[in-house]
Amino acid sequence: MLATICSAALLGIDAVPVQVEVNTGESGIPTLILVGLPDAAVKESEDRVFSALSNSGLRMPRTRTTINLAPGDLRKEGAIYDLPIALGILVATGQLVCEQLRDYLIAGELSLSGATRPIKGGLAMAVLARECGRKAVLLPAAAAQEAALVEGIAVYEISSLDQATRFLGGQLALKPLPLPRALTTATTPTGNEPDFADIKGQHAVRRAVEVAVAGGHNLIMIGPPGSGKSMIAKRVPGIMPHPTLDEYLDILRIHSAAGQTIQGGLHFFQRPARAPHHTISDVGLLGGGAIPGPGEISLAHHGVLFLDELPEFKRSALEVLRQPLEDGQVTISRSAGKITLPCVFLLVAAMNPCPCGYLGDPKHECRCAPAQIQRYRARISGPLLDRIDLHIEAPALSIAELRHDQPAESSAAMRERVETARQRQLVRFRGTSYTANARMPVSQLKKYCALDPKLGDLLQQAMEQLSLSARAYDRILKVARTIADLAEAERIESPHLLEAIQYRSLDRNVFY
């Protein structure tokens, strides 16, 4: 007897349909044959499924059984086919009768006892089920809770093979997982997040961070050890505006494909913050692998990517950031397939002024030779530095500043101004795919970043003196537009433009 179960495979962060076909009653030696380009984890499904059937009080097939995972030219990976294979065997052997089986998309890993285990990609599978016209999905608990965020599809939380069998057979009534439950089970902020009120001094750096977050601009901080660069970077997520529901679904879709769910530590309605170590590989940063998947830049989508000790990263790893910083997406081609991953993130980088870290420090003598300083700074290429909008120096703090007890401005106050500026940008770019000034296309610069002749001459003079590129010209205008938004000004004025120009202090001939 032939049975067909609808399931899915993950391709990058998206799900594609897979048909699990089970045929029993074939003549020959009783055995199980699994075809359809399965990997090692899928091939091991035979042992898990047979044990789960036995421990659930169900009968295993006693004839030659063939299981086909179609389409045959798509490589299948992981243990997500355990549950559909087990249900397909039950239907093919007559132990389960379900007339509406084609209305369900089913995925799940089984333990030897028959209980389900967490899988990744639940959100993508719910989106696929809705697009394919399925009425419902059957998924393990964690995957089901994130899948319930997708409207227009019924999501059933399955805890075991026995429960799935009784539900599909009509002996057990289950209610679809409601959207409110998916929201209330999400992790909420604890109130113990780092706050800018803890930062002593560094008013110029705080201002630069506020401008960067308000417009989605990339930022680099340069200063000696102990100046507070890492402390400030850890507090940047606390002033990021809350994501919209669509943005959060994009965030969750990427993390779900990477095996990270709400219950796995992704805060509900919080933007992601990633801080990879400088020993990370190109693949770890960009994404890829034998089966292409998201890297750190995609996991930071709609969030913050912090790169501490920027010159210590491998040159090749830094150079792969060029195209993603410009386009907001990365295309990865491997033998297993080609995928395009979104990666619109705020880059926050930090570095020392020299290898020892004390160049220009009034209290510590720099021990680096000029050639060492040149090699150290040359690890950051001009094209990469060109794509970082704001460059700010973080000087060492004095003892008097450290002893100062007056509380600094809190993250909540800074976030309020940031959200006000972002609202202005949302209104400005309504009806388009971009939501922040940093992503403003060149075609809109003349409309939203127009300068009067006097300011135009001022910018031209600065461009010539600093030997800035055309890309830097556009970015200065975008930063000036953000500063004007923070000041609630309709047009870019002289103070806004001058502040934006001084944020290019590490560029080209000055930096090297």
Side-chain angles (χ1 to χ4, degrees), residues 308-361:
D308 200 5
E309 303 297 343
L310 189 65
E312 301 298 335
F313 283 78
K314 292 192 301 182
R315 179 67 178 265
S316 59
L318 292 179
E319 294 307 308
V320 300
L321 290 176
R322 289 193 198 178
Q323 183 242 345
L325 285 173
E326 197 73 21
D327 300 338
Q329 63 181 23
V330 56
T331 300
I332 302 171
S333 298
R334 297 291 186 271
S335 59
K338 176 181 177 181
I339 62 172
T340 298
L341 301 170
C343 54
V344 178
F345 58 89
L346 171 64
L347 174 64
V348 178
M351 63 174 291
N352 296 327
C354 65
C356 76
Y358 294 110
L359 179 65
D361 192 308

Side-chain angles (χ1 to χ4, degrees), residues 87-360:
L87 293 174
I89 290 175
L90 294 178
V91 174
T93 56
Q95 301 178 75
L96 173 63
V97 178
C98 181
E99 299 295 335
Q100 295 81 30
L101 195 58
R102 292 186 177 272
D103 294 336
Y104 297 96
L105 188 148
I106 305 171
E109 179 183 350
L110 292 175
S111 67
L112 298 184
S113 66
T116 58
R117 295 185 183 277
I119 62 172
K120 60 184 181 180
L123 183 65
M125 293 178 188
V127 172
L128 173 66
R130 185 178 61 182
E131 293 174 349
C132 294
R134 308 295 174 190
K135 295 181 180 179
V137 293
L138 270 62
L139 298 170
Q145 289 170 11
E146 65 186 37
L149 289 168
V150 179
E151 297 180 344
I153 192 77
V155 179
Y156 293 94
E157 184 179 308
I158 300 299
S159 60
S160 66
L161 173 60
D162 177 66
Q163 183 191 40
T165 303
R166 290 187 291 122
F167 168 68
L168 293 174
Q171 292 125 24
L172 176 67
L174 290 178
K175 292 183 179 180
L177 191 64
L179 181 61
R181 180 180 174 189
L183 299 181
T184 56
T185 55
T187 306
T188 55
T190 62
N192 297 324
E193 288 77 15
D195 196 294
F196 267 97
D198 304 327
I199 302 297
K200 305 288 186 180
Q202 301 296 11
H203 302 292
V205 181
R206 294 168 62 102
R207 169 63 176 176
V209 168
E210 184 176 325
V211 173
V213 175
H217 305 286
N218 301 317
L219 167 75
I220 184 171
M221 298 176 285
I222 180 169
S227 58
K229 303 186 297 298
S230 298
M231 285 186 64
I232 291 173
K234 291 177 181 178
R235 284 154 177 78
V236 171
I239 65 172
M240 294 282 286
H242 293 297
T244 63
L245 181 58
D246 289 339
E247 287 178 333
Y248 181 71
L249 290 178
D250 285 342
I251 295 168
L252 186 58
R253 189 159 58 102
I254 296 172
H255 284 253
S256 175
Q260 303 174 15
T261 63
I262 298 174
Q263 292 181 339
L266 182 64
H267 291 311
F268 176 64
F269 264 47
Q270 295 293 308
R271 297 180 182 269
R274 310 292 297 187
H277 193 261
H278 61 77
T279 57
I280 190 171
S281 66
D282 303 3
V283 172
L285 189 63
L286 187 69
I291 304 295
E296 289 291 331
I297 62 174
S298 293
L299 293 172
H301 184 54
H302 290 317
V304 180
L305 178 68
F306 175 45
L307 302 182
D308 200 5
E309 303 297 343
L310 189 65
E312 301 298 335
F313 283 78
K314 292 192 301 182
R315 179 67 178 265
S316 59
L318 292 179
E319 294 307 308
V320 300
L321 290 176
R322 289 193 198 178
Q323 183 242 345
L325 285 173
E326 197 73 21
D327 300 338
Q329 63 181 23
V330 56
T331 300
I332 302 171
S333 298
R334 297 291 186 271
S335 59
K338 176 181 177 181
I339 62 172
T340 298
L341 301 170
C343 54
V344 178
F345 58 89
L346 171 64
L347 174 64
V348 178
M351 63 174 291
N352 296 327
C354 65
C356 76
Y358 294 110
L359 179 65

